[in-house]
Amino acid sequence: MRKDHMDAFGAVSLTLFGIFLAFNQIIIKFVNQGIQPVFFAGLRSALAILCLGAWLVWKGRPPRFEGRYLVPGIAVGLAFAGEFLCLFLALDLTTVTRTSIILYSMPVWLSLAAHFVLPGERITPMKALGLALAFTGVAWAILDRSSANGEASLVGDLCALLAAWGWAAIALIARGTRLREMRPEMQLFWQVTISAPVLILAAPFFGPLIRAFEPIHIAGLIFQAVAVVSAGFVFWLWLLSIYPAASVASFSFLTPIFGVALGWLLLGEHVGPVILGAAALVAVGIILINRPRQS
């Protein structure tokens, strides 16, 4: 049943989903120890093809690749491959706390690009303030190396930034091309179908495919493909079908906060004043960017 406001169930669900997405980065960092990051990302997309394909068939909407969607479909798949190539490398090179802050600055880059390429997406004064705060937080996190404490690399931080740009590119392609006519789950099917071979073919250029592999890493891979890419996306779509899009989007600020907390709690990552300050700036900025326009 469609609702015109966020209720307690929606707020709790989106909060738990934010924790789930933050924990997802812990899983990626863990599996990277046994499987090379780019190869891991490719295997995840390959398994997700099977999961999403089975779900679409079960829903009576088997995947169909129509010619009119070929160019934007390939483009969104390449953007998806680029995002997760960079994200998985970032989590291999830098900390979960820093990756969370930088990756979830995506609304900043999406709002900036949408201002120029999407009709009706102009930057309002409130959005401009949010962009400035979030941009300052990201720049602060990247440029301040004193808080890295030997756990992070500048290359890893920049990979996280490229992943955020890739994520924004996916949203722009999905909203600014023919793909907007397509159901979201089919958009995702295009993304995993194109990205799987691209990532697997690119993987050998990033080192040995297998590291200190243990069977538990397979469990992490399956969790990624089934719980995160497939079930997690379907759950997000379900929430989006019930609650206003702006209200759902506003909860995205929670994920970098949870990412910082879980990185500190589960991995013992250093969390100093700079990381906390940068996370706060990004969170407030995202809230302002997603704030509904007043009538």
Side-chain angles (χ1 to χ4, degrees):
M1 181 180 177
R2 186 75 183 176
K3 301 182 179 181
D4 59 1
H5 66 281
M6 184 64 61
D7 58 17
F9 174 80
V12 171
S13 295
L14 285 164
T15 300
L16 293 175
F17 191 70
I19 296 174
F20 174 77
L21 291 179
F23 182 70
N24 168 50
Q25 296 189 17
I26 303 289
I27 296 296
I28 294 173
K29 195 167 186 69
F30 169 72
V31 179
N32 278 349
Q33 298 173 6
I35 305 175
Q36 187 237 80
V38 180
F39 187 49
F40 172 25
L43 291 177
R44 186 184 78 153
S45 285
L47 285 175
I49 294 172
L50 300 177
C51 296
L52 279 171
W55 186 79
L56 286 168
V57 170
W58 179 69
K59 295 291 289 184
R61 299 190 296 268
R64 291 190 305 167
F65 293 98
E66 300 178 42
R68 58 182 176 148
Y69 299 127
L70 182 62
V71 172
I74 292 175
V76 80
L78 292 175
F80 187 90
E83 177 195 349
F84 286 100
L85 183 150
C86 293
L87 174 59
F88 280 48
L89 286 176
L91 287 166
D92 196 48
L93 297 170
T94 192
T95 62
V96 169
T97 57
R98 301 174 74 88
T99 300
S100 295
I101 294 170
I102 299 169
L103 175 66
Y104 283 92
S105 68
M106 184 277 278
V108 175
W109 319 114
L110 177 58
S111 295
L112 284 172
H115 176 79
F116 297 101
V117 301
L118 294 180
E121 294 285 347
R122 309 295 292 176
I123 294 177
T124 63
M126 187 64 70
K127 275 190 176 183
L129 176 59
L131 289 170
L133 291 175
F135 180 83
T136 301
V138 171
W140 193 13
I142 293 176
L143 296 177
D144 183 87
R145 310 312 300 168
S146 63
S147 63
N149 199 32
E151 301 172 329
S153 74
L154 179 59
V155 173
D157 290 350
L158 294 177
C159 282
L161 181 60
L162 289 174
W165 290 354
W167 188 4
I170 290 171
L172 286 173
I173 295 169
R175 292 166 58 182
T177 68
R178 286 180 175 270
L179 289 185
R180 64 180 177 271
E181 305 167 2
M182 186 185 294
R183 294 182 65 88
E185 59 266 31
M186 190 59 204
Q187 291 182 22
L188 182 63
F189 196 80
W190 269 99
Q191 292 168 32
V192 295
T193 300
I194 299 298
S195 66
V198 170
L199 290 167
I200 290 174
L201 289 173
F205 295 98
F206 293 87
L209 302 184
I210 302 299
R211 296 176 169 180
F213 180 77
E214 296 180 10
I216 188 65
H217 294 131
I218 294 294
L221 172 61
I222 293 173
F223 173 84
Q224 280 284 314
V226 177
V228 178
V229 180
S230 303
F233 178 75
V234 171
F235 179 70
W236 175 262
L237 285 178
W238 180 70
L239 290 174
L240 203 57
S241 70
I242 297 175
Y243 300 103
S247 297
V248 173
S250 67
F251 276 78
S252 63
F253 81 93
L254 290 173
T255 302
I257 302 300
F258 291 136
V260 170
L262 290 178
W264 169 75
L265 183 65
L266 299 179
L267 301 178
E269 294 179 352
H270 175 72
V271 177
V274 170
I275 289 295
L276 294 176
L281 286 174
V282 171
V284 173
I286 292 174
I287 292 173
L288 295 178
I289 290 170
N290 287 303
R291 189 174 180 181
R293 184 179 300 176
Q294 298 297 320
S295 302

